[in-house]
Amino acid sequence: MIAHRIAKRSDVADDYTRLAEYIAAAPEQGEKLDRLWIANCDAGETPADLAPALAEIEAVRQKKPAVADKTYHLVVSFRAEDRPGLTGAALKDMARTYAEALGFGAHQYVAGTHINTDHFHMHIAINKVHPETLKVHTPYRDFKTLEQTSRALEQRYGLIVDRGRADRDQAPPLSPAARDFEAATWEESFQRWLQGHRDAVLKTVADSRTWPDLHRDLLDRHGVRLKARGAGLVFTDRAGGQAMKASALDRACARAALERRLGPFQAATAERAAPDREPDKDGGKDRGQEPAQGPGYRRKPLLHAPGVPRLWRAFRKSRADTLARRTLRNWKHYLLAEAWRDPYAAALV
């Protein structure tokens, strides 16, 4: 899960009621409201209480007319794999935990979750004016608080770990090839994806007792292949378009360590080693090409934000057109091409 604050633009007025109504309406195309609740308002906490709750919040905010920015807008994005375990009680606990960690434990807020095909996320609109003391609270260096809280909530609810800005020193650095891929495409690299699934992959490696078992389980459970390269081993995605040095994930995956446990290296059988789909017709490998089915690495934007799924679906649809396929070869090219006519694409760029 990734939590980030939506900063207020200097040219847009602070309108809490409009933001809360946006959360309640889920107006983006293909998007719908999942849950909505209100906290710390005498008017109530259910969707039916929204109108009187907003009147109550605005009454508090009007007592600080000189303050231009009185809203803290937080968006929490979840991985699709985690959504089945996100119950209403869990989501409310997460919103409350974020609010308390940021120093907004007693502040009024409206929270809601939105659903669309690719992206399940939660909005939390917090009134920065305390309802009793009327002090306006603005968290300092909130990105650290958000990331620490996200890691704690991921552990509490067994969610996939999404390393953030404050975690970079803990995460293994990306290889130059992976960094170049992400800089050129603005898409998540296979190496970053594999680091995010590190614990599950290492468990599969530890549980395997023979080379055929290891190859089969890595492919079936994670969509990952293990191949010899030079004197060592590399993990690759299904299509073989991107690779990561196996020992860079963990020393237990080094060739010497695996051969001590499983015997001399054995490559996957020819049948299982075959790619799952054809290379791009543009004459080169489509790095990060999404597999036809099954688990594993799939192309997706590095940035998690509301509105991105709509643009991402349009990008994927455009890839079906031969002419567009030649010019819009990745997500970055598509956003740059769309920026002149789509304000949200321009904002992302």
Side-chain angles (χ1 to χ4, degrees):
M1 59 194 291
I2 295 177
H4 66 282
R5 175 177 59 88
I6 305 296
K8 177 187 174 300
R9 289 172 48 185
S10 59
D11 59 334
V12 177
D14 183 3
D15 191 337
Y16 186 92
T17 294
R18 184 176 180 181
L19 173 59
E21 290 174 344
Y22 166 89
I23 295 172
E28 291 285 347
Q29 183 178 3
E31 189 172 44
K32 64 179 181 179
L33 180 69
D34 174 47
R35 294 179 175 90
L36 182 77
W37 66 97
I38 304 159
N40 300 326
C41 283
D42 294 334
E45 59 181 27
T46 70
D49 303 316
L50 181 62
L54 290 179
E56 180 182 335
I57 292 172
E58 290 293 355
V60 172
R61 292 163 61 85
Q62 287 174 10
K63 295 181 179 180
K64 286 290 184 177
V67 180
D69 184 3
K70 295 176 282 192
T71 303
Y72 189 96
H73 183 192
L74 179 65
V75 177
V76 183
S77 301
F78 301 97
R79 289 184 178 246
E81 305 97 303
D82 290 332
R83 186 180 157 195
L86 297 172
T87 64
L91 291 165
K92 287 185 177 182
D93 177 60
M94 290 179 178
R96 181 172 55 251
T97 301
Y98 278 115
E100 291 174 352
L102 291 165
F104 292 122
H107 288 238
Q108 302 154 318
Y109 64 83
V110 174
T113 49
H114 290 182
I115 301 173
N116 59 30
T117 305
D118 303 314
H119 187 212
F120 181 67
H121 58 280
M122 174 169 63
H123 291 266
I124 309 172
I126 303 173
N127 178 17
K128 292 165 63 174
V129 184
H130 193 284
E132 296 179 2
T133 67
L134 299 183
K135 291 183 178 180
V136 180
H137 173 60
T138 300
Y140 175 68
R141 293 178 66 83
D142 54 347
F143 74 91
K144 285 192 173 183
T145 302
L146 293 175
E147 289 173 5
Q148 290 168 357
T149 306
S150 295
R151 301 298 84 79
L153 288 171
E154 285 163 348
Q155 185 174 7
R156 183 185 303 176
Y157 290 101
L159 307 181
I160 295 173
V161 175
D162 279 302
R163 296 188 181 276
R165 185 171 158 193
D167 303 309
R168 287 177 182 170
D169 291 340
Q170 303 173 20
L174 294 178
S175 67
R179 291 199 303 270
D180 289 347
F181 173 83
E182 292 187 350
T185 65
W186 294 352
E187 297 171 15
E188 181 184 50
S189 64
F190 169 70
Q191 186 177 143
R192 186 184 296 275
W193 175 88
L194 191 60
Q195 288 176 348
H197 293 76
R198 180 177 181 273
D199 292 345
V201 171
L202 291 181
K203 185 177 187 305
T204 296
V205 171
D207 291 346
S208 299
R209 294 292 174 261
T210 66
W211 286 107
D213 287 347
L214 178 57
H215 290 301
R216 181 193 64 244
D217 293 343
L218 283 174
L219 189 59
D220 292 346
R221 297 177 188 175
H222 313 292
V224 172
R225 302 185 190 277
L226 185 63
K227 299 180 178 180
R229 180 171 294 179
L233 300 174
V234 294
F235 291 113
T236 75
D237 61 327
R238 284 180 179 270
Q242 295 189 61
M244 175 182 179
K245 189 176 178 181
S247 59
L249 185 67
D250 192 89
R251 291 181 180 179
C253 300
R255 182 165 185 164
L258 288 175
E259 287 186 335
R260 282 195 297 271
R261 192 161 61 85
L262 305 178
F265 175 74
Q266 299 175 27
T269 62
E271 179 181 356
R272 295 193 66 80
D276 289 340
R277 61 193 301 161
E278 295 294 326
D280 269 359
K281 294 180 180 179
D282 60 11
K285 291 182 179 178
D286 185 8
R287 297 181 298 171
Q289 179 67 39
E290 181 179 356
Q293 58 185 356
Y297 167 73
R298 289 173 172 80
R299 300 172 57 158
K300 70 175 186 179
L302 273 171
L303 177 65
H304 297 265
V308 167
R310 171 180 62 82
L311 288 166
W312 179 251
R313 286 194 296 272
F315 164 63
R316 291 175 61 186
K317 185 176 181 181
S318 73
R319 301 267 301 162
D321 180 81
T322 303
L323 179 60
R325 192 181 182 90
R326 291 174 180 170
T327 57
L328 306 177
R329 303 179 66 148
N330 57 52
W331 171 239
K332 179 179 179 180
H333 290 167
Y334 177 79
L335 282 183
L336 292 173
E338 286 292 300
W340 69 275
R341 62 179 178 182
D342 189 316
Y344 196 81
L348 292 176
V349 171

PDB file of all heavy atoms in Angstrom, residues 225-241:
ATOM      1  N   ARG A 225      11.123 -17.129 -14.003  1.00  0.00           N
ATOM      2  CA  ARG A 225      12.019 -18.174 -14.509  1.00  0.00           C
ATOM      3  C   ARG A 225      13.411 -17.987 -13.911  1.00  0.00           C
ATOM      4  O   ARG A 225      13.817 -16.863 -13.597  1.00  0.00           O
ATOM      5  CB  ARG A 225      12.106 -18.120 -16.043  1.00  0.00           C
ATOM      6  CG  ARG A 225      10.762 -18.265 -16.752  1.00  0.00           C
ATOM      7  CD  ARG A 225      10.957 -18.322 -18.262  1.00  0.00           C
ATOM      8  NE  ARG A 225       9.706 -18.229 -18.982  1.00  0.00           N
ATOM      9  CZ  ARG A 225       8.888 -19.243 -19.213  1.00  0.00           C
ATOM     10  NH1 ARG A 225       9.187 -20.440 -18.753  1.00  0.00           N
ATOM     11  NH2 ARG A 225       7.767 -19.064 -19.890  1.00  0.00           N
ATOM     12  N   LEU A 226      14.150 -19.079 -13.791  1.00  0.00           N
ATOM     13  CA  LEU A 226      15.524 -19.057 -13.289  1.00  0.00           C
ATOM     14  C   LEU A 226      16.427 -19.618 -14.372  1.00  0.00           C
ATOM     15  O   LEU A 226      16.225 -20.760 -14.821  1.00  0.00           O
ATOM     16  CB  LEU A 226      15.640 -19.887 -12.005  1.00  0.00           C
ATOM     17  CG  LEU A 226      16.997 -19.871 -11.295  1.00  0.00           C
ATOM     18  CD1 LEU A 226      17.343 -18.458 -10.812  1.00  0.00           C
ATOM     19  CD2 LEU A 226      16.994 -20.839 -10.115  1.00  0.00           C
ATOM     20  N   LYS A 227      17.405 -18.836 -14.815  1.00  0.00           N
ATOM     21  CA  LYS A 227      18.254 -19.234 -15.928  1.00  0.00           C
ATOM     22  C   LYS A 227      19.726 -19.013 -15.583  1.00  0.00           C
ATOM     23  O   LYS A 227      20.062 -18.180 -14.744  1.00  0.00           O
ATOM     24  CB  LYS A 227      17.907 -18.422 -17.183  1.00  0.00           C
ATOM     25  CG  LYS A 227      16.476 -18.594 -17.670  1.00  0.00           C
ATOM     26  CD  LYS A 227      16.220 -17.750 -18.909  1.00  0.00           C
ATOM     27  CE  LYS A 227      14.809 -17.943 -19.430  1.00  0.00           C
ATOM     28  NZ  LYS A 227      14.545 -17.128 -20.643  1.00  0.00           N
ATOM     29  N   ALA A 228      20.579 -19.768 -16.258  1.00  0.00           N
ATOM     30  CA  ALA A 228      22.027 -19.563 -16.112  1.00  0.00           C
ATOM     31  C   ALA A 228      22.449 -18.399 -16.988  1.00  0.00           C
ATOM     32  O   ALA A 228      21.955 -18.243 -18.116  1.00  0.00           O
ATOM     33  CB  ALA A 228      22.773 -20.826 -16.519  1.00  0.00           C
ATOM     34  N   ARG A 229      23.330 -17.578 -16.467  1.00  0.00           N
ATOM     35  CA  ARG A 229      23.911 -16.489 -17.253  1.00  0.00           C
ATOM     36  C   ARG A 229      25.337 -16.292 -16.790  1.00  0.00           C
ATOM     37  O   ARG A 229      25.575 -15.925 -15.645  1.00  0.00           O
ATOM     38  CB  ARG A 229      23.105 -15.203 -17.104  1.00  0.00           C
ATOM     39  CG  ARG A 229      23.680 -14.037 -17.903  1.00  0.00           C
ATOM     40  CD  ARG A 229      22.757 -12.846 -17.925  1.00  0.00           C
ATOM     41  NE  ARG A 229      21.524 -13.131 -18.640  1.00  0.00           N
ATOM     42  CZ  ARG A 229      20.529 -12.244 -18.790  1.00  0.00           C
ATOM     43  NH1 ARG A 229      20.652 -11.037 -18.255  1.00  0.00           N
ATOM     44  NH2 ARG A 229      19.443 -12.577 -19.452  1.00  0.00           N
ATOM     45  N   GLY A 230      26.279 -16.541 -17.688  1.00  0.00           N
ATOM     46  CA  GLY A 230      27.680 -16.492 -17.310  1.00  0.00           C
ATOM     47  C   GLY A 230      27.969 -17.548 -16.255  1.00  0.00           C
ATOM     48  O   GLY A 230      27.572 -18.707 -16.384  1.00  0.00           O
ATOM     49  N   ALA A 231      28.629 -17.150 -15.176  1.00  0.00           N
ATOM     50  CA  ALA A 231      28.939 -18.087 -14.102  1.00  0.00           C
ATOM     51  C   ALA A 231      27.858 -18.111 -13.029  1.00  0.00           C
ATOM     52  O   ALA A 231      27.970 -18.863 -12.055  1.00  0.00           O
ATOM     53  CB  ALA A 231      30.278 -17.706 -13.468  1.00  0.00           C
ATOM     54  N   GLY A 232      26.803 -17.302 -13.183  1.00  0.00           N
ATOM     55  CA  GLY A 232      25.775 -17.228 -12.152  1.00  0.00           C
ATOM     56  C   GLY A 232      24.387 -17.529 -12.676  1.00  0.00           C
ATOM     57  O   GLY A 232      24.216 -18.175 -13.712  1.00  0.00           O
ATOM     58  N   LEU A 233      23.381 -17.074 -11.941  1.00  0.00           N
ATOM     59  CA  LEU A 233      21.978 -17.296 -12.284  1.00  0.00           C
ATOM     60  C   LEU A 233      21.249 -15.961 -12.288  1.00  0.00           C
ATOM     61  O   LEU A 233      21.630 -15.024 -11.593  1.00  0.00           O
ATOM     62  CB  LEU A 233      21.306 -18.229 -11.267  1.00  0.00           C
ATOM     63  CG  LEU A 233      21.875 -19.640 -11.104  1.00  0.00           C
ATOM     64  CD1 LEU A 233      21.174 -20.349  -9.945  1.00  0.00           C
ATOM     65  CD2 LEU A 233      21.713 -20.440 -12.396  1.00  0.00           C
ATOM     66  N   VAL A 234      20.182 -15.902 -13.084  1.00  0.00           N
ATOM     67  CA  VAL A 234      19.328 -14.713 -13.100  1.00  0.00           C
ATOM     68  C   VAL A 234      17.871 -15.152 -13.031  1.00  0.00           C
ATOM     69  O   VAL A 234      17.501 -16.231 -13.510  1.00  0.00           O
ATOM     70  CB  VAL A 234      19.546 -13.851 -14.371  1.00  0.00           C
ATOM     71  CG1 VAL A 234      20.936 -13.262 -14.399  1.00  0.00           C
ATOM     72  CG2 VAL A 234      19.245 -14.643 -15.638  1.00  0.00           C
ATOM     73  N   PHE A 235      17.045 -14.305 -12.400  1.00  0.00           N
ATOM     74  CA  PHE A 235      15.605 -14.438 -12.486  1.00  0.00           C
ATOM     75  C   PHE A 235      15.134 -13.613 -13.678  1.00  0.00           C
ATOM     76  O   PHE A 235      15.642 -12.508 -13.915  1.00  0.00           O
ATOM     77  CB  PHE A 235      14.921 -13.891 -11.227  1.00  0.00           C
ATOM     78  CG  PHE A 235      15.151 -14.702  -9.983  1.00  0.00           C
ATOM     79  CD1 PHE A 235      15.883 -14.185  -8.927  1.00  0.00           C
ATOM     80  CD2 PHE A 235      14.618 -15.982  -9.863  1.00  0.00           C
ATOM     81  CE1 PHE A 235      16.084 -14.914  -7.768  1.00  0.00           C
ATOM     82  CE2 PHE A 235      14.808 -16.717  -8.710  1.00  0.00           C
ATOM     83  CZ  PHE A 235      15.541 -16.195  -7.664  1.00  0.00           C
ATOM     84  N   THR A 236      14.160 -14.122 -14.415  1.00  0.00           N
ATOM     85  CA  THR A 236      13.565 -13.342 -15.500  1.00  0.00           C
ATOM     86  C   THR A 236      12.049 -13.406 -15.390  1.00  0.00           C
ATOM     87  O   THR A 236      11.496 -14.298 -14.735  1.00  0.00           O
ATOM     88  CB  THR A 236      13.975 -13.862 -16.896  1.00  0.00           C
ATOM     89  OG1 THR A 236      13.274 -15.074 -17.199  1.00  0.00           O
ATOM     90  CG2 THR A 236      15.475 -14.108 -16.972  1.00  0.00           C
ATOM     91  N   ASP A 237      11.390 -12.453 -16.040  1.00  0.00           N
ATOM     92  CA  ASP A 237       9.942 -12.538 -16.137  1.00  0.00           C
ATOM     93  C   ASP A 237       9.577 -13.647 -17.131  1.00  0.00           C
ATOM     94  O   ASP A 237      10.453 -14.258 -17.745  1.00  0.00           O
ATOM     95  CB  ASP A 237       9.356 -11.195 -16.571  1.00  0.00           C
ATOM     96  CG  ASP A 237       9.837 -10.746 -17.935  1.00  0.00           C
ATOM     97  OD1 ASP A 237      10.995 -11.047 -18.283  1.00  0.00           O
ATOM     98  OD2 ASP A 237       9.064 -10.105 -18.665  1.00  0.00           O
ATOM     99  N   ARG A 238       8.286 -13.919 -17.287  1.00  0.00           N
ATOM    100  CA  ARG A 238       7.859 -15.029 -18.153  1.00  0.00           C
ATOM    101  C   ARG A 238       8.399 -14.900 -19.572  1.00  0.00           C
ATOM    102  O   ARG A 238       8.855 -15.868 -20.172  1.00  0.00           O
ATOM    103  CB  ARG A 238       6.324 -15.083 -18.207  1.00  0.00           C
ATOM    104  CG  ARG A 238       5.666 -15.667 -16.974  1.00  0.00           C
ATOM    105  CD  ARG A 238       4.169 -15.678 -17.137  1.00  0.00           C
ATOM    106  NE  ARG A 238       3.502 -16.243 -15.977  1.00  0.00           N
ATOM    107  CZ  ARG A 238       3.218 -17.527 -15.835  1.00  0.00           C
ATOM    108  NH1 ARG A 238       3.544 -18.386 -16.773  1.00  0.00           N
ATOM    109  NH2 ARG A 238       2.595 -17.960 -14.749  1.00  0.00           N
ATOM    110  N   ALA A 239       8.310 -13.672 -20.114  1.00  0.00           N
ATOM    111  CA  ALA A 239       8.716 -13.482 -21.506  1.00  0.00           C
ATOM    112  C   ALA A 239      10.227 -13.364 -21.672  1.00  0.00           C
ATOM    113  O   ALA A 239      10.723 -13.360 -22.791  1.00  0.00           O
ATOM    114  CB  ALA A 239       8.038 -12.229 -22.070  1.00  0.00           C
ATOM    115  N   GLY A 240      10.947 -13.262 -20.544  1.00  0.00           N
ATOM    116  CA  GLY A 240      12.397 -13.146 -20.638  1.00  0.00           C
ATOM    117  C   GLY A 240      12.880 -11.776 -21.047  1.00  0.00           C
ATOM    118  O   GLY A 240      14.044 -11.596 -21.404  1.00  0.00           O
ATOM    119  N   GLY A 241      12.004 -10.774 -20.994  1.00  0.00           N
ATOM    120  CA  GLY A 241      12.387  -9.432 -21.423  1.00  0.00           C
ATOM    121  C   GLY A 241      13.239  -8.689 -20.421  1.00  0.00           C
ATOM    122  O   GLY A 241      14.033  -7.835 -20.788  1.00  0.00           O
TER     123      GLY A 241
END
